[in-house]
Amino acid sequence: MAKKSKIAANERRRATVARHAARRAELKEILRRPSSSEAERLAAREELSRQPRDASATRVRNRDSVDGRPRGYVGAFGLSRVNLRKLAHAGHLPGVRKSSW
């Protein structure tokens, strides 16, 4: 089980990313576009650097939806490998079967 403070901090990061996503996309498009002038690009780069550090989507950590474990995350299920195995063996994940060969 992850610390409650780590889970809460990650949720705050998710909210910050969502709040700034549209403006960040606009600024990055200005930087990407070849028709942008140097002045526009410089202004966009400066505004991006003034945004909060947690506004970047790469700052969000994928965590297990059951207990918040940060390691061994399986994205298709939103679970860590530990909880994925436990729930699959208990039959709580539809369509998942234990394989053997």
Side-chain angles (χ1 to χ4, degrees), residues 83-100:
N83 282 320
L84 175 68
R85 186 169 190 270
K86 184 171 64 176
L87 293 174
H89 282 306
H92 296 304
L93 299 176
V96 177
R97 292 194 331 192
K98 184 177 187 302
S99 71
S100 63

Side-chain angles (χ1 to χ4, degrees), residues 29-41:
E29 182 57 35
I30 290 170
L31 292 172
R32 221 175 279 125
R33 204 175 330 142
S35 62
S36 300
S37 69
E38 281 302 314
E40 285 177 327
R41 288 183 186 187

Side-chain angles (χ1 to χ4, degrees), residues 52-84:
R53 188 178 271 183
D54 284 343
S56 174
T58 59
R59 302 272 295 186
V60 176
R61 179 85 166 147
N62 288 328
R63 289 183 172 271
D64 186 322
S65 59
V66 175
D67 64 2
R69 181 183 167 88
R71 304 280 182 107
Y73 180 78
V74 181
F77 297 96
L79 299 170
S80 68
R81 60 183 177 78
V82 176
N83 282 320
L84 175 68

Side-chain angles (χ1 to χ4, degrees), residues 5-60:
S5 60
K6 291 289 189 178
I7 296 171
N10 202 46
E11 290 307 313
R12 281 194 305 273
R13 278 191 203 103
R14 282 188 195 279
T16 303
V17 166
R19 193 169 52 247
H20 290 87
R23 184 60 183 155
R24 282 183 69 84
E26 291 170 10
L27 294 172
K28 286 185 175 241
E29 182 57 35
I30 290 170
L31 292 172
R32 221 175 279 125
R33 204 175 330 142
S35 62
S36 300
S37 69
E38 281 302 314
E40 285 177 327
R41 288 183 186 187
L42 181 63
R45 170 59 44 209
E46 288 175 354
E47 187 176 340
L48 265 176
S49 68
R50 280 194 308 268
Q51 285 191 343
R53 188 178 271 183
D54 284 343
S56 174
T58 59
R59 302 272 295 186
V60 176

